[in-house]
Amino acid sequence: MKQEDDIKQAIETMRKGGVILYPTDTVWGIGCDATNAEAVKRVYEIKQREDSKALICLVDSDARMQRYFRNVPDVAWQLIDSLKEATDAKPTTLILDGAINLAPNLIAEDGSLGIRITNEPFSKELCFRFQKAIVSTSANISGEPAAQNYCDIDPRILEAVDYVCWSRRQEHKPHTPSSIIKLKENGEVTVIRK
């Protein structure tokens, strides 16, 4: 299947409220429309994860990220700019306060949300074409290891989703989860995962 057709199928599935499995800039992810509370609820069910543990989102650009927060602090823009300049930068998820315009069950109790701008070609194009944030949580049952490659995905997850992307299924190489950095509006920075 051509990547373009794969992306079309994934988008069509998410527009109908479905859940997809897709390759990201880190590990394989379970995804859905980040504005659809029913779809988000299904992702929690598939992962067998408490909904008090927040999920993260992927977007394709700074401009798209800005739509989902009341205010993006200056320190976040500085970090994003420095990540763009670093050719070997590890994918980095930012947790920011004041999340808006998303499914309420996606936003943490304190009003924060983890978001990452992806530069990996498949997930970036998927986010760009979908025109909205896409949920991105590791394709595993909660508490089990993240699926680095397609071949690592638990059959229960493969059966539970509505569409499994074809792109990058043959890949066999190490992938690691993103770094996670929490940024407060007052400029306070906390590294959650290196």
Side-chain angles (χ1 to χ4, degrees):
M1 180 183 275
K2 289 195 311 209
Q3 181 172 303
E4 191 178 325
D5 296 331
D6 202 11
I7 286 172
K8 276 184 190 162
Q9 283 287 133
I11 287 171
E12 199 174 299
T13 302
M14 289 189 290
R15 286 203 175 121
K16 290 178 182 167
V19 175
I20 65 166
L21 260 179
Y22 67 114
T24 75
D25 53 342
T26 59
V27 295
W28 269 72
I30 303 173
C32 69
D33 176 349
T35 66
N36 183 327
E38 276 304 306
V40 170
K41 181 174 177 240
R42 274 199 55 219
V43 171
Y44 279 114
E45 288 166 358
I46 290 167
K47 275 188 75 80
Q48 299 173 26
R49 182 174 178 168
E50 297 167 37
D51 63 7
S52 60
K53 290 186 174 179
L55 303 173
I56 69 158
C57 294
L58 282 189
V59 290
D60 63 310
S61 66
D62 307 5
R64 185 111 43 223
M65 183 181 92
Q66 209 163 359
R67 288 185 194 176
Y68 299 111
F69 298 94
R70 282 192 193 87
N71 176 41
V72 177
D74 289 341
V75 67
W77 295 123
Q78 290 162 9
L79 186 57
I80 289 165
D81 287 342
S82 70
L83 289 168
K84 280 182 193 167
E85 289 166 17
T87 51
D88 61 344
K90 184 175 181 182
T92 301
T93 301
L94 302 180
I95 299 176
L96 304 174
D97 292 328
I100 53 171
N101 303 324
L102 293 159
N105 54 343
L106 192 57
I107 299 169
E109 285 177 20
D110 65 359
S112 68
L113 175 84
I115 198 159
R116 188 167 72 248
I117 301 168
T118 179
N119 287 311
E120 181 275 326
F122 182 85
S123 53
K124 188 175 185 80
E125 185 69 11
L126 181 66
C127 290
F128 173 73
R129 296 268 189 94
F130 191 55
Q131 297 282 300
K132 288 190 218 178
I134 298 174
V135 167
S136 180
T137 181
S138 56
N140 60 314
I141 304 292
S142 195
E144 293 182 5
Q148 293 185 35
N149 296 288
Y150 172 76
C151 60
D152 303 322
I153 301 170
D154 187 305
R156 292 172 292 177
I157 289 181
L158 291 168
E159 288 164 19
V161 300
D162 303 299
Y163 182 72
V164 181
C165 290
W166 288 90
S167 298
R168 292 180 46 205
R169 280 195 192 185
Q170 305 308 317
E171 207 169 76
H172 289 281
K173 61 184 190 183
H175 293 280
T176 54
S178 70
S179 297
I180 301 177
I181 299 174
K182 189 171 176 98
L183 303 173
K184 299 297 252 176
E185 287 196 30
N186 64 7
E188 187 185 315
V189 178
T190 309
V191 176
I192 307 236
R193 183 170 69 200
K194 282 192 173 187

